[in-house]
Amino acid sequence: MTEPAATRPTVLFVCVHNAGRSQMAAGWLRHLSGGRVEVRSAGSVPAEQINPVAVEAMLEEGVDIRAEKPKVLTTEAVQASDVVVTMGCGDACPFYPGKRYEDWKLDDPAGQGIDAVRPIRDEIRGRVLTLLTELGVPPVHA
């Protein structure tokens, strides 16, 4: 049973192109939370499409992010989120007092082959599991 939106925490993942790391993180959080967390992702300079290697790496784990599209970061998205996770977007990410911010230092999968993207994917999964624990949301998949 899905909880009402008012009680669900909202998490926004932000990276520059919204094509790799933030999309993988959003995919993991949707998958692992079973809909108990509202998930958003955006980029300060969105790419034309999601990194196909990131899509492939996630499909290997049964998480399908093929339908996602890079989106531009808006102040409204930040203001509507409980937690904002940045991934290498630096000063391009707006800051609002009272929001919880985390900066995840992760390698950029752009231009990398699948063997280089798998460890990034796996590290993101671990961080998403930690975030779920901190939000008090037990993962639906271990």
Side-chain angles (χ1 to χ4, degrees):
M1 182 169 139
T2 305
E3 296 174 28
T7 62
R8 289 190 308 164
T10 302
V11 177
L12 171 64
F13 294 103
V14 182
C15 65
V16 175
H17 299 298
N18 189 217
R21 293 167 289 189
S22 57
Q23 292 286 357
M24 288 192 289
W28 274 127
L29 186 54
R30 272 189 215 95
H31 178 73
L32 294 168
S33 74
R36 289 171 296 158
V37 175
E38 187 173 336
V39 181
R40 297 183 171 120
S41 70
S44 51
V45 184
E48 291 293 313
Q49 65 179 29
I50 294 186
N51 178 337
V53 181
V55 170
E56 179 184 351
M58 292 300 286
L59 281 171
E60 289 179 350
E61 296 295 315
V63 180
D64 189 351
I65 60 172
R66 288 178 287 194
E68 299 299 321
K69 302 275 185 262
K71 293 170 282 306
V72 70
L73 178 64
T74 64
T75 55
E76 293 79 17
V78 175
Q79 290 171 323
S81 300
D82 299 308
V83 180
V84 179
V85 178
T86 58
M87 303 171 178
C89 63
D91 294 338
C93 295
F95 181 85
Y96 294 94
K99 297 290 173 191
R100 174 179 164 188
Y101 286 85
E102 290 189 20
D103 186 44
W104 293 359
K105 304 279 188 229
L106 297 161
D107 290 334
D108 189 346
Q112 303 287 335
I114 190 73
D115 291 334
V117 174
R118 284 184 186 120
I120 300 168
R121 171 203 65 204
D122 295 344
E123 182 175 349
I124 290 170
R125 182 182 188 276
R127 289 177 186 230
V128 165
L129 284 169
T130 299
L131 180 60
L132 279 170
T133 300
E134 291 169 352
L135 292 172
V137 177
V140 293
H141 305 283

